[in-house]
Amino acid sequence: MRISIAEFEETYLPAMKEEFKQNTMDSVMENHDAICEQLWKEMETTTEFAVKFQQQIPVPIGEIQISLLQTSLYLGKPQIGIAAYDMRGVYGNELFQIKYDASWLFTQWNKYQDRITKQIEELHAENYIHTEAVRQMMYKSIPFLTQSMCVLAKYPLREFERLEAVDKLLLTESFKLTIGGYRDWSRILYVKRPQLDIFFHDSMESLCYCRFYEAVYNRKEFHKLDLRYTKFVHCEFVHCHFQNVAFQDVVFEHCRIYHCTFENVNFSGGTFMDTTLKKNVFHEITWHEEPENVTEIEDFYKNVEFRDCITDDETILKEGIQCEK
């Protein structure tokens, strides 16, 4: 059958691509815990190596990037690279890179190739669609694999500061941990931020990724604030009013929240740990943000979690299965 590559991609490839994506996600989720543990151990190894590296060359690290190495696919051995850069991040000099196995992300890769090849054979189109064309078709799915890697690593690796070797590292004041393509598109997992006051700071400075420890907020108005990716530890909120606040991926750890009102607040991806919430009012709350268009998604969020929390709110009790009244 005489068929062009463009015609094949339009008519036959979409269904096979969707099947590949679904099978990949099924495989990743089936092995989710083991993969996350593997990634954490790889970060431990990397930070321990970085400490030894800086003992010899004391250059502060401005960015550590986890990236999917496309060149490794040509060698038939998919890998991720964890690279450290100087104060200019990926725009500066690479200090070192350690490569790790990424076969867990490519469990369906060969099956995908076989599926495409078989379809070409069934169409008797081998003379029109060659091996290199198949390779190019498959490589168009790499952005999806990169996104999948980001989804998997986002929550465990945002706890970067908990790694034992981190306290020994020389990091710049604006250090960040990112994940994505090698010196390419990436998402932020962790940012080192200075201690800021939510209500007394430079209005041009972002509050995202900030950490707040042992802060007490009494009768405060949280209005139109972007507090995504923030973390509150041993903080107390009493008689506060939250309106139009972005709390995506927020973490409340060992906090007390009493007599507060939440109106039009987005808690998607949020985590409440050992936190007490009582006598609060929730109105027009987003507990989980569903993207309208997956191909144009700005970010992705897990379901909100309540771990070992105490609350008297029935809405929260429906959301979290580990809460206590």
Side-chain angles (χ1 to χ4, degrees), residues 2 41 50 56 60 79-80 92 95 102 129 132-133 144 149 175 185-186 189 195-196 214 226 230 324:
R2 187 179 183 87
K41 288 181 178 179
Q56 303 298 320
Q79 294 177 317
I80 61 172
L95 303 177
I129 305 176
E132 184 56 33
F144 159 76
M149 180 179 68
F175 168 82
W185 171 93
S186 63
L189 297 177
Q195 290 294 314
L196 296 178
E214 299 182 348
D226 186 354
T230 53
E324 299 178 7

Side-chain angles (χ1 to χ4, degrees), residues 61-116:
I61 296 174
E63 180 174 349
I64 293 179
Q65 185 188 62
I66 306 165
S67 57
L68 183 60
L69 303 176
Q70 295 190 31
T71 53
S72 66
L73 298 184
Y74 285 103
L75 302 176
K77 189 178 180 180
Q79 294 177 317
I80 61 172
I82 304 183
Y85 298 88
D86 63 18
M87 65 182 66
R88 292 179 295 170
V90 295
Y91 299 105
N93 296 314
E94 183 178 300
L95 303 177
F96 66 82
Q97 181 183 115
I98 303 177
K99 298 177 181 178
Y100 298 97
D101 174 64
S103 57
W104 52 267
L105 188 58
F106 289 82
T107 58
Q108 306 300 311
W109 190 251
N110 290 336
K111 294 179 182 178
Y112 185 31
Q113 182 177 19
D114 292 343
R115 183 74 177 86
I116 295 174

Side-chain angles (χ1 to χ4, degrees), residues 33-52:
D33 292 346
I35 296 171
C36 288
E37 183 178 352
Q38 177 181 329
L39 288 171
W40 185 257
K41 288 181 178 179
E42 290 168 355
M43 282 305 304
E44 284 183 323
T45 300
T46 302
T47 53
E48 290 167 0
F49 176 85
V51 170
K52 295 178 181 178

Side-chain angles (χ1 to χ4, degrees), residues 17-213:
K17 183 185 293 186
E18 288 306 311
E19 181 183 41
F20 163 70
K21 290 181 177 181
Q22 186 60 56
N23 290 342
T24 297
M25 288 307 300
D26 290 345
S27 175
V28 167
M29 295 312 298
E30 182 179 350
N31 300 285
H32 176 273
D33 292 346
I35 296 171
C36 288
E37 183 178 352
Q38 177 181 329
L39 288 171
W40 185 257
K41 288 181 178 179
E42 290 168 355
M43 282 305 304
E44 284 183 323
T45 300
T46 302
T47 53
E48 290 167 0
F49 176 85
V51 170
K52 295 178 181 178
F53 177 89
Q54 289 181 326
Q55 289 173 350
Q56 303 298 320
I57 307 175
V59 178
I61 296 174
E63 180 174 349
I64 293 179
Q65 185 188 62
I66 306 165
S67 57
L68 183 60
L69 303 176
Q70 295 190 31
T71 53
S72 66
L73 298 184
Y74 285 103
L75 302 176
K77 189 178 180 180
Q79 294 177 317
I80 61 172
I82 304 183
Y85 298 88
D86 63 18
M87 65 182 66
R88 292 179 295 170
V90 295
Y91 299 105
N93 296 314
E94 183 178 300
L95 303 177
F96 66 82
Q97 181 183 115
I98 303 177
K99 298 177 181 178
Y100 298 97
D101 174 64
S103 57
W104 52 267
L105 188 58
F106 289 82
T107 58
Q108 306 300 311
W109 190 251
N110 290 336
K111 294 179 182 178
Y112 185 31
Q113 182 177 19
D114 292 343
R115 183 74 177 86
I116 295 174
T117 301
K118 182 178 179 181
Q119 184 64 67
I120 293 172
E121 291 174 351
E122 291 177 356
L123 296 171
H124 303 290
E126 297 94 326
N127 292 333
Y128 309 104
I129 305 176
H130 300 148
T131 302
E132 184 56 33
V134 174
R135 185 198 301 270
Q136 292 303 317
M137 290 181 202
M138 295 180 65
Y139 273 49
K140 291 181 180 180
S141 292
I142 288 180
F144 159 76
L145 292 172
T146 304
Q147 280 275 13
S148 300
M149 180 179 68
C150 294
V151 171
L152 194 67
K154 177 180 180 181
Y155 290 103
L157 296 188
R158 70 175 177 175
E159 299 297 328
F160 173 80
E161 61 186 8
R162 293 183 183 270
L163 289 167
E164 186 174 346
V166 167
D167 290 339
K168 302 176 184 178
L169 287 176
L170 298 176
L171 304 176
T172 64
E173 289 302 315
S174 58
F175 168 82
K176 59 184 178 180
L177 173 66
T178 61
I179 186 168
Y182 181 64
R183 288 184 179 266
D184 197 357
W185 171 93
S186 63
R187 288 188 181 276
I188 295 174
L189 297 177
Y190 171 86
V191 178
K192 183 181 178 183
R193 297 295 312 276
Q195 290 294 314
L196 296 178
D197 188 300
I198 292 177
F199 299 99
F200 299 97
H201 74 284
D202 185 344
S203 60
M204 298 299 292
E205 190 166 12
S206 171
L207 292 169
C208 292
Y209 296 99
C210 282
R211 266 66 171 166
F212 304 95
Y213 300 94

